[in-house]
Amino acid sequence: MNFVNIFKKTALVASLTMLVSFSASANTLLWNTGVTDSGKGAEGSVDQHYTLGGGAASYVGIGVNGAWLADSASNASAWITPTANANDGSLDPFTNGTYTFSQTFDLSGYDASKTSFSAMWAADNNASVYLNGSLLSSITGGTYSNFNSFSSFSANSGFVSGLNTLSFVVTNLAQNGGNPSGLRVEFSNVNVAAVPEPKTNAMLLSGLALMGLVVRRRKALES
């Protein structure tokens, strides 16, 4: 095998090593509300990725309230609710109710400082979203637009190595007789970067050193 072929193979190995070290898939890192691993959850089922109030179940709402933003035709997300019935009129008749929907995601093996995402959300009525306890965004005022259209939020800092928690604190305003409450979230542009393992870094450095040696020997032969 001549030096040119050695150089080409070494360059290919180094390129593949770089790709493995710094690319990562985030398809299952953050979950939209109301979906399973294979698509939209069945109405009335327990949401697989969001808990309510520190461990209680949250539900994919049965018969979404007509005033709420309709579930997406693509089944990308669905409303989740404190009870299985999305039209439950028994909630919070005289005092405001507070419902905290949370999901936990693991950044072990990823560079937390290079993680970011964008998302859309809607809630009945007011809501605030927190990343690891730090406020990211709020929709307030109890307005119709809080649950009839999406608002946006994002994060590009505040992540930690290991387990992270996103918490959506929804306040349902009392209405003299009870009324439903729910949350809808869709993520987009989720970006993560894998942390290179020491072995991978060593392989990369060895490959680069070999490339330099091949180049020097080839130049010596041509001179």
Side-chain angles (χ1 to χ4, degrees), residues 14-27 29 108-111 114 190-197 200-201:
S15 298
L16 289 175
T17 302
M18 288 286 287
L19 181 62
V20 171
S21 298
F22 299 106
S23 298
S25 171
N27 292 338
L29 185 65
S108 297
Y110 297 104
D111 186 341
K114 296 180 181 178
V190 179
N191 300 302
V192 294
V195 176
E197 297 182 1
T200 303
N201 281 335

Side-chain angles (χ1 to χ4, degrees), residues 79-167:
W79 284 88
I80 56 175
T81 53
T83 60
N85 181 6
N87 285 295
D88 190 344
S90 66
L91 300 177
D92 315 310
F94 305 113
T95 59
N96 296 346
T98 301
Y99 305 96
T100 301
F101 300 89
S102 300
Q103 73 161 306
T104 300
F105 57 99
D106 193 352
L107 287 179
S108 297
Y110 297 104
D111 186 341
S113 67
K114 296 180 181 178
T115 302
S116 64
F117 68 78
S118 300
M120 303 182 297
W121 66 326
D124 186 348
N125 295 100
N126 299 328
S128 296
V129 55
Y130 298 84
L131 171 61
N132 297 322
S134 296
L135 179 65
L136 292 180
S137 183
S138 296
I139 46 178
T140 60
T143 61
Y144 184 79
S145 62
N146 286 1
F147 50 79
N148 189 48
S149 61
F150 275 130
S151 299
S152 62
F153 70 98
S154 62
N156 56 19
S157 63
F159 300 94
V160 298
S161 299
L163 294 180
N164 293 252
T165 301
L166 269 176
S167 299

